[in-house]
Amino acid sequence: MSGAEHDFGAFVAARATSLLRVAYLACGDETEAEDLLQTALERTYRKWDRIRHDSPEPYVRRVIVNAAISRARRRAILKIIPMHSPPDTPARTDDPDLQHVLREALRALPPRQRAVVVLRYWEDLSETQTAEVLGCSVGTVKSQASKAMAKLRSALGQDTVKGAIRNAHA
């Protein structure tokens, strides 16, 4: 291990708890705080040679706060994605337990994956339309949809996902 790596490891060992507290206060969620801290430390490590001789803690705090703000903005944007028109026929409500499980599985997806699934499969938008709404490329829509469906299949099982999507269009 080089001196820079050792210094970075010592910094993390000494300041991780304090930085995690900053991350938690910035976002209000324990899991997201851990993600924010991980993101901040990863970005800090990439620039460690430049910032290690100054005080690195303010830099890490700034990265945490900026990342929290970016995530909050992203969430706010995803919440206001317009629904073109309400569905003509509501989804069948045969199984309220399945609906609850499906909603929880959707909530567990990252915001962008959740948005792609809702727009592609519930709103029945094309990949191109979904990309336009989200302001990203068609390739990003495809990869996010693939990752999201894999997570849903893992969480719910293959047959449950197919049935839930069919029921949404019924």
Side-chain angles (χ1 to χ4, degrees):
M1 186 183 313
S2 72
E5 290 175 344
H6 183 272
D7 289 350
F8 182 76
F11 169 75
V12 171
R15 304 305 307 152
T17 302
S18 173
L19 293 169
L20 182 59
R21 186 172 31 257
V22 169
Y24 180 79
L25 293 172
C27 70
D29 179 73
E30 186 175 320
T31 304
E32 187 172 349
E34 292 171 356
D35 289 345
L36 284 171
L37 179 58
Q38 184 68 30
T39 298
L41 291 175
E42 185 266 329
R43 290 179 185 171
T44 301
Y45 183 75
R46 283 190 272 152
K47 298 183 186 223
W48 187 248
D49 287 334
R50 283 188 277 166
I51 63 171
R52 73 179 175 157
H53 299 294
D54 298 333
S55 179
E57 190 165 355
Y59 178 85
V60 178
R61 286 183 179 175
R62 188 173 62 243
V63 172
I64 289 169
V65 170
N66 288 345
I69 290 169
S70 293
R71 288 180 183 199
R73 281 186 189 137
R74 207 172 307 128
R75 268 193 305 278
I77 289 168
L78 292 175
K79 284 181 183 177
I80 61 171
I81 293 174
M83 184 174 184
H84 297 289
S85 61
D88 293 332
T89 57
R92 289 197 309 228
T93 57
D94 301 31
D95 190 351
D97 292 332
L98 176 61
Q99 288 181 356
H100 175 74
V101 169
L102 185 57
R103 275 192 223 106
E104 291 302 313
L106 281 172
R107 281 189 194 109
L109 291 175
R112 181 158 286 226
Q113 288 179 12
R114 184 171 55 242
V116 168
V117 168
V118 169
L119 292 172
R120 284 283 294 129
Y121 301 106
W122 269 266
E123 292 299 313
D124 205 27
L125 297 181
S126 69
E127 290 169 342
T128 304
Q129 292 169 320
T130 302
E132 288 172 7
V133 170
L134 295 176
C136 63
S137 70
V138 173
T140 299
V141 169
K142 289 179 181 180
S143 68
Q144 293 295 302
S146 175
K147 290 174 185 175
M149 294 306 288
K151 287 181 182 178
L152 289 173
R153 284 183 193 106
S154 174
L156 301 172
Q158 178 76 22
D159 295 335
T160 304
V161 173
K162 285 181 181 176
I165 289 172
R166 257 195 313 274
N167 285 347
H169 294 292

